[in-house]
Amino acid sequence: MDLGLTDRVYVLTGASRGLGHATAQCLVADGARVVLSARDADAVAAAAQRLGGPERAVGLAADLTDPKTPGQLVAAAREHFGRLDGALISVGGPPAGKAAQISDEQWRQSFETVFLGTVRAVRTVADALPEGGAIGLVLSTSARGPVPGLGISNGLRPGLVGVAKDVADDYGPRGVRVVGLLPGRILTDRNRELFAATGDPERARAEAEATIPLRRIGDPAEFGRVAAFVLSPAASYLTGITVPVDGGALRGL
C-alpha cells in the first residue's frame, strides 16, 4: 500500500528515542521528512542523523513545558522543508506511584508536561495545518483502564482523550484529523524502567506478557507503523478516535 507520505513533513516530539523515534523511522522509510524534538540536544541531533541527516530529518532541542516550543517546531518545519502536514505529540511518562500517595508537586509538574504541554502543542499545530493534515497523540492504555502503580497517568491520560475528541470536532470541518494512540506494553526504556523498579524485571515482564493475548511485549516498530499509517493520507477518514496498540490487552469492546 502506498501511504501517500512522500515529501510530506511531520513534527514529532519526544522523538530522540522510543515510540516517537520509531514512528519517525517509519515515516522517513515511506518518503516523509521529519522535525524531531527532545530535551537532550545531543540525543536529538544523533537521532536526526540516524534518519538521514538534513535532507530527511532535523533535530531541535526543546521542552513542551515551554510555551514557545510548539511555535518553534512549526517554524522549523516550514523553514527547513517548506511545509507542515502533521505531528506526533509524545511526552515522557509521568512518575510511577499510587494516586493517593503522589504529592501535590508531582501532580503539578506532570500536569504541566503531560497534559498542558500536549494540549498547547495540539492547539498550535492544528492551527498551522492545511486540509489533509493530521495529529497523533501518544497516550496510553491507561486512558481506557487504570494501570496499577501509574496513578498520574491514570488521572491525566483520559482527560487528554477528551481533549483530542474535542479538537477533532473543532478542526474536522477544515479537513484536519486528530487521533489518540494507546500503546500498551511495548519494549521502550520506560517499560524497562517499570520492570526494573519491581526488583525482578524478568518476572515482571513474564507476568505482563501473561496478560497479553499475543503473549509478548510489543516492539517499538510495531507502534511506529500504526502511527505512520494514522498520520498518512491513507487514513483520511479516521479522526476523533483512540487506537490501542497493545496486543489485545485491553478488554473493552
Side-chain angles (χ1 to χ4, degrees):
M1 176 187 289
D2 181 1
L3 298 182
L5 287 168
T6 300
D7 293 331
R8 294 176 77 87
V9 176
Y10 295 90
V11 163
L12 300 96
T13 71
S16 63
R17 59 180 185 167
L19 302 181
H21 191 65
T23 302
Q25 290 177 309
C26 293
L27 289 169
V28 169
D30 261 64
R33 294 170 290 177
V34 295
V35 175
L36 312 179
S37 78
R39 286 176 291 183
D40 187 314
D42 291 339
V44 77
Q49 193 60 37
R50 290 195 301 271
L51 292 172
E55 293 298 315
R56 307 307 307 179
V58 295
L60 182 68
D63 189 334
L64 283 183
T65 59
D66 184 345
K68 297 178 182 177
T69 291
Q72 291 171 341
L73 294 174
V74 170
R78 290 171 171 167
E79 177 183 345
H80 288 281
F81 299 123
R83 60 188 288 177
L84 178 63
D85 298 285
L88 185 79
I89 309 300
S90 177
V91 297
K98 296 181 178 180
Q101 299 170 351
I102 293 165
S103 70
D104 286 1
E105 186 57 28
Q106 286 177 307
W107 278 108
R108 289 191 189 98
Q109 290 178 351
S110 296
F111 178 82
E112 288 287 333
T113 55
V114 174
F115 195 93
L116 185 56
T118 297
V119 171
R120 186 187 295 121
V122 169
R123 182 176 61 218
T124 302
V125 172
D127 280 338
L129 289 178
E131 182 176 356
I135 299 173
L137 279 69
V138 182
L139 303 175
S140 166
T141 52
S142 63
R144 290 197 188 173
V147 178
L150 296 182
I152 295 178
S153 183
N154 295 336
L156 298 183
R157 301 295 193 188
L160 285 170
V161 170
V163 168
K165 183 67 171 177
D166 195 66
V167 175
D169 290 345
D170 280 345
Y171 286 87
R174 279 183 39 197
V176 172
R177 302 182 296 107
V178 182
V179 175
L181 294 153
L182 310 183
R185 289 290 197 175
I186 296 177
L187 199 57
T188 61
D189 290 343
R190 164 74 165 170
N191 270 300
R192 289 188 182 95
E193 291 166 2
L194 292 174
F195 290 146
T198 68
D200 188 344
E202 291 303 319
R203 178 178 178 180
R205 176 170 177 166
E207 289 176 349
E209 289 178 327
T211 69
I212 301 169
L214 291 181
R215 293 296 189 271
R216 63 180 177 83
I217 302 297
D219 185 270
E222 294 179 294
F223 175 90
R225 288 190 288 269
V226 174
F229 167 73
V230 164
L231 291 171
S232 79
S236 58
Y237 208 52
L238 295 182
T239 194
I241 62 169
T242 54
V243 180
V245 188
D246 67 346
L250 282 174
R251 305 316 303 152
L253 299 178

